[in-house]
Amino acid sequence: MAKYNITRIKEKEASYRTLVSPQMMDELESRINDIIIIQKKYRDKNYSAKKLAEDLGTNTRYISAVVNVRFHMNYTSLVNSHRIREAMTLLVDKRYQNLTMEEISDMVGFSNRQSFYASFYRINGVTPRDYKLQQLEMHPVLQEQPKKRGRKPGTKNKAKVE
């Protein structure tokens, strides 16, 4: 007689996979990309799966099904991946060198620094600060301050005479 009553777990087909037809899945995937990526709704801290479903005229179960099947993640992970991608760009952009991590996280749609750091680390394996330092070390030209436009030093303003 066995000491433990161990039974094999049966692999279940996720019910959401059959919830949405392939044609509807294609259409919803395209429209989700349009709203989340093209319209940059990922920057909106309050833009939820529920609001997305309302904008698409569907329900959150369909949104969840499409995101799980087509993007292989949940809604929050999808949104956060786009936020982190943009944050990575901003962190090494000369124009944003003087911004704090809180300001960067706010710009890309995170509601607090902790969730920004946690998501960034989960995706990249380093903190945003370490990522920035690594990039600046690998590409020293990123550290140069942008040049200001205007007249060259030592030149005089010439008045236009007519």
Side-chain angles (χ1 to χ4, degrees), residues 4-151:
Y4 300 102
N5 185 14
I6 300 174
T7 58
R8 287 187 164 234
I9 297 174
K10 295 178 184 174
E11 290 290 324
K12 292 183 188 176
E13 180 67 28
S15 61
Y16 61 78
R17 292 184 193 273
T18 57
L19 190 63
V20 185
S21 72
Q23 296 83 5
M24 183 182 253
M25 200 160 287
D26 290 340
E27 182 185 337
L28 286 174
E29 177 186 13
S30 173
R31 292 173 66 202
I32 289 169
N33 277 328
D34 177 56
I35 290 173
I36 299 294
I37 301 167
I38 308 299
Q39 296 179 30
K40 298 186 187 256
K41 289 289 188 175
Y42 62 84
R43 289 180 177 170
D44 183 349
K45 294 171 184 57
N46 301 312
Y47 198 74
S48 63
K50 185 176 180 179
K51 286 185 182 178
L52 176 61
E54 288 171 8
D55 288 349
L56 294 176
T58 188
N59 62 53
T60 55
R61 290 193 68 193
Y62 281 20
I63 297 296
S64 181
V66 172
V67 171
N68 278 289
V69 171
R70 295 297 172 94
F71 300 101
H72 308 289
M73 59 182 78
N74 63 32
Y75 175 79
T76 303
S77 296
L78 175 68
V79 170
N80 285 347
S81 69
H82 291 292
R83 290 173 174 167
I84 296 302
R85 191 172 298 141
E86 183 172 359
M88 290 168 67
T89 303
L90 296 177
L91 286 168
V92 295
D93 191 318
K94 294 176 190 178
R95 296 171 293 182
Y96 303 104
Q97 289 299 307
N98 296 327
L99 294 182
T100 65
M101 289 301 161
E102 288 82 4
E103 291 168 323
I104 296 279
S105 84
D106 188 58
M107 284 176 70
V108 299
F110 283 97
S111 55
N112 60 60
R113 190 176 70 97
Q114 289 79 12
S115 59
F116 171 58
Y117 266 74
S119 292
F120 197 99
Y121 191 85
R122 191 177 310 112
I123 290 171
N124 295 308
V126 294
T127 65
R129 182 182 179 281
D130 289 343
Y131 173 81
K132 181 178 181 176
L133 293 173
Q134 287 172 0
Q135 294 303 310
L136 293 176
E137 193 175 288
M138 288 174 22
H139 309 286
V141 72
L142 296 173
Q143 292 180 11
E144 296 173 6
Q145 292 297 319
K147 295 177 181 154
K148 293 183 179 179
R149 292 184 177 189
R151 61 183 178 89

